[in-house]
Amino acid sequence: MSLLTVTQGTTAHKVYRWLPWALFVLVVISVPFWAVHTPSFSVGDSNFTFSLGNLNHAVAYMVGVLGLGLLVGYNGQISLGNSFFMGIGGYLTATLVVDNEWPYLLTLVVVLPVCFVVGMLVGLPALRIKGLYLALTTLGLAAVFPSIVRMDQLRDRTGGANGKRISADLEAPDWLPLEDIAEFLSGIPLIGDWMFGDGRLGGRDADDVWVFILLALLATAAFWVSRNLIYSRPGRSIIAVRDNETGAAVNGVNVPMTKTLTFGVSAALGGLSGTMYAMAIGFVAPDVFGINLAIFLIVGLVVGGVGTLSGAVIGGLVIVFVPHWASQIESVPVVPERYLRGPTGTFFLGVLLIILTFFLPGGIVYGWRKIRARLVTVRPAGHAASGEEVELAEGDSAGGLLSRGQDVLDVDDEEEHGEPVSAPAQATNQGEPT
Amino acid sequence: MELFLARLFDGLSAGATYAVIAVALVLIYKATTLINFAQGELAMLGSFFVYIFAVEQDMPIYVAVVAGMIVSALLAAGIERVLIRPFDPADHLPLVIITLGLFLVINAAAGMIWGFDPRRFPRVFPSGDAWTMGIARLRWYTVGTLVTVLVLLVLLTLLLKKTKIGLAFRAVSSNLESSGLVGVRAGPTLQFGWMLATAVGTLAGALFVADPFRQLDPLWAQRVLIFAAAAAVLGGLDSLWGALAGGLILGFIESMVVGYVDWIPSQMGLAAAVVAIIIVLLIRPNGLFGTRTVERV
Amino acid sequence: MSDTSTATSTGAGVSSGPTLLSLKGVRAAYGQVRVLHGIDLDVHEGEVVVVLGANGAGKTTTMRAICGMVGTAGSITLDGKELVGRKPADVARMGVAHVPQGRGTFADLSVDDNLQLGAFVRKDKEVRADIDRWYEVFPVLGERRTQQAGTLSGGEQQMLAVARALMGRPRLLLLDEPSLGLAPMIVQDVFRRLDTVKAELGTTMLIVEQNANLALGIADRGYVIEAGHIVLSGTADDLQSDDAVRAAYLGY
């Protein structure tokens, strides 16, 4: 079945592992220069745009989804209130920048520890309240945030129901050769012109690119820290607690400590995401950080893939671009115009969730992994291909349709009828970064 | 004293409506041990059906309510058959995600189709007060809603305890695997649960928006859902009468706390509700009346 | 244990009517893990057949395969009708009553409700009469008829489970490890009752057990299963006198 077989330890294997990363880095470096010109594509009457502002928004949300995923996917605590911490981060940054004239990045020094501590405090009652009840309680927490921000007592700082506009600008530093990079990219034969325009960065463009670079760096840091956490010893404790709390405890894991600390880290990531949002959008309002955001974060997590890190990247992109493009749909045959003025984004996200559950229950990342496993087989060094190997995924795959045992039995039938069955039905892809 | 009564009646009114929605949530929970996010939105949709029947089709309000309940129950039956049945009822994760997706779809569709302008909903109960004492007014609306909830609960209890379908429902709720072994088909039984819960939800919705102080818009269920869920949790997620108790208690807390404690602004009613749930769950993790079954291995 | 059996293979044996249940080449798997590798087994009308085996050998999986509770390949027929691929509720409606491992009691429903559920598929009017008869046979159940079934002792729950299964007037009764978790005296009582049921009702039974002694005591025929394969079969007497079986399962 597979197109390609690669043995661990060879150069081919190293290329296989690192090529996706190299491509990803290339994309990340060049995409702001492409998006700054707000490219668009048309389908029928509708014109769908892709702006740098959207992209920055997505990057900010990616970190929020990451925080949620850490707690839910890797630690098994069904806490759905990460938007609460995003709100704290966003508003803290807003007030510090506007009222106290702090530089944006410096606010992280306050946001991260505050959110971490508050997160741990929230994590304490979470030790006793589990499962469904925890989900409801944390959703309640998320729903309450806008009310807290609207409180009269905090009005001066938060701007109350009107929100708070952050007037401080982020200016690209002089030493950064953004214009040179833009020129270089537009000079690339064939695609340069079409993708990167004429290579010039007018007015605010350079500043927007700079914001993207900052956000990308922050996001990279967040993902890098999360990855190291997961693959470390404390990380294994976190996952062990998810899979079998009693077993973990019996093996010496301090379960309450692990759970509350994970809550703290997840909350800190949420706060970071809120700060990034403030940087990207420049405006915070109560309803931005309410229950809708909490639900969207869940959607992003599920679409990307629960129990994966790279899923958060996809999740962030989905929850920004699906609503954005949905709002740009001009007309659909049969459907009355005024329907399209409504919350179409939410509608499509819901449909997406339902479709995904039927066809890709593990999320997009799992779908990708399955495709990849069918195309490329990784053979452990020094062994001939052995019989049935069980796929080791980084986390649970979401459930699915009945009788998965049926797959194994069908393989049997093939063997008995004399057809050669390619030895591992699923490849082992241990320790893959994505 | 008057003030207390006034607050009491307010709490009663709000609490009764939370209770009815909570009952719908508990019904679905009993059948599937899932909290169904879509239930609130289905109730909202049902209330729009009632509106269409009563206002646009000019039916008498009681007929419209029944018609709305039937139509929404049929819709729920279809949803269960197409979106829920393909999945293993014991595996919760895909089901939770599907109900979340349904929540979003129905929520958005209602907004798209009917827009967000509030509409006047016809009266279900006579307007005016049944009883007054100074500023404390017990409205007919409150009395009517409470009586309806009580009658509903009695009917539901009879249904569950005395009929065969009720027995099947309780069997699936008690032990999914064994229910299959005695010949109870999980699919149709769950479908019945969905239909029942949705019909109850529509009734709850109609009662809720029929409050002379409220209007119909697609967002009411979203606003109330957390209160109804809190009520269900407070009372114990598998207890129907507990939902009533939970709803009433929550209604009282909301009106008392907000009324008597000055420094909490009125929007904090929600926060008070959340805090209440947390406290109750810490002390009694199964809610006030939730059953903790005695199991001998 | 050796693969060759010293006992006779199945064929016409004691009290055999027509074949009621037939398993041919049955394989079953949980997810990726295969448990049964090709089981052949027959139960004739009116017989009591026992399947013996150690923990993890696949006894329970065999039961679950019959009822459609696990992914199954191969053929399982009841009265000639194929069971593989059917859901448990449908298999139950065809007249198969399964008492699962651990009894599967509806713990938070009353004893009476449990018995009523046993008769769920019946459409006749004698259900109440049957229930009352069971209360006579098991007075304990009668005393506790309104109590939550989960409050009964292990032995009482086992009686309740058997009564519940028989309430459906099944063609075939499946019992999965009836002795599990019960004190030895209770277990003896359970098997005594099962013997009475066999004598008075003539119900066809397939019993899966680790406790080989008691099981062979009421059985007509038996099979031994190891690691997902049938390794031995024969009449109950033959199995009881087989040296290998005695060494491995009967302890002497």
Side-chain angles (χ1 to χ4, degrees), chain B residues 205-218:
Chain B
L207 288 175
F208 186 79
V209 294
D211 186 338
F213 294 140
R214 291 198 189 103
Q215 296 191 301
L216 175 66
D217 74 337

Side-chain angles (χ1 to χ4, degrees), chain A residues 156-211:
Chain A
D156 299 332
R157 280 261 159 185
T158 63
N162 295 326
K164 200 175 183 78
R165 173 157 288 284
I166 311 174
S167 44
D169 281 330
L170 283 159
E171 281 176 12
D174 294 323
W175 50 264
L176 201 61
L178 289 174
E179 258 114 42
D180 295 335
I181 302 180
E183 254 188 70
F184 167 74
L185 283 170
S186 81
I188 297 176
L190 287 180
I191 57 168
D193 251 357
W194 165 65
M195 281 190 83
F196 302 105
D198 53 9
R200 236 167 305 164
L201 292 174
R204 302 236 8 228
D205 288 349
D207 296 335
D208 287 339
V209 175
W210 171 237
V211 170

Side-chain angles (χ1 to χ4, degrees), chain C residues 7-92:
Chain C
T8 57
S9 52
T10 48
V14 241
S15 68
S16 69
T19 305
L20 179 59
L21 177 75
S22 179
L23 273 68
K24 291 201 186 0
V26 170
R27 288 153 291 147
Y30 292 103
Q32 304 270 20
V33 181
R34 246 171 313 169
V35 179
L36 298 180
H37 304 291
I39 302 283
D40 294 320
L41 134 52
D42 289 320
V43 181
H44 304 116
E45 190 110 34
E47 272 192 313
V48 173
V49 172
V50 142
V51 175
L52 302 175
N55 252 335
K59 309 188 298 298
T60 299
T61 312
T62 306
M63 291 263 140
R64 294 168 69 97
I66 297 173
C67 286
M69 293 159 77
V70 69
T72 305
S75 162
I76 302 180
T77 53
L78 182 77
D79 261 346
K81 286 177 283 215
E82 185 61 60
L83 295 184
V84 170
R86 291 187 194 254
K87 299 225 183 99
D90 296 322
V91 174

Side-chain angles (χ1 to χ4, degrees), chain C residues 1-10 231-234 239 242 244-245:
Chain C
M1 271 191 63
S2 64
D3 278 345
T4 56
S5 65
T6 55
T8 57
S9 52
T10 48
V231 296
L232 200 57
S233 62
L239 286 178
D242 181 284
V245 172

Side-chain angles (χ1 to χ4, degrees), chain B residues 50-115:
Chain B
V50 174
Y51 176 83
I52 290 176
F53 287 134
V55 173
E56 289 177 23
Q57 304 291 330
D58 241 345
M59 292 186 195
I61 184 66
Y62 295 114
V63 176
V65 169
V66 172
M69 286 170 73
I70 294 177
V71 170
S72 57
L74 290 173
L75 177 66
I79 290 177
E80 191 279 333
R81 188 64 192 79
V82 173
L83 296 178
I84 307 289
R85 192 81 66 93
F87 296 96
D88 179 3
D91 186 3
H92 287 180
L93 189 55
L95 291 173
V96 169
I97 298 175
I98 294 238
T99 59
L100 183 59
L102 267 174
F103 167 87
L104 293 171
V105 167
I106 299 177
N107 185 302
M112 285 160 64
I113 297 175
W114 290 297

Side-chain angles (χ1 to χ4, degrees), chain A residues 388 403 405-406 408-409 412-413 416, chain C residues 27 29 31-32 34 71-73:
Chain A
E388 298 143 48
S403 274
Q406 218 59 48
V408 176
L409 298 166
D412 263 2
D413 282 337
E416 278 170 23
Chain C
R27 288 153 291 147
Q32 304 270 20
R34 246 171 313 169
T72 305

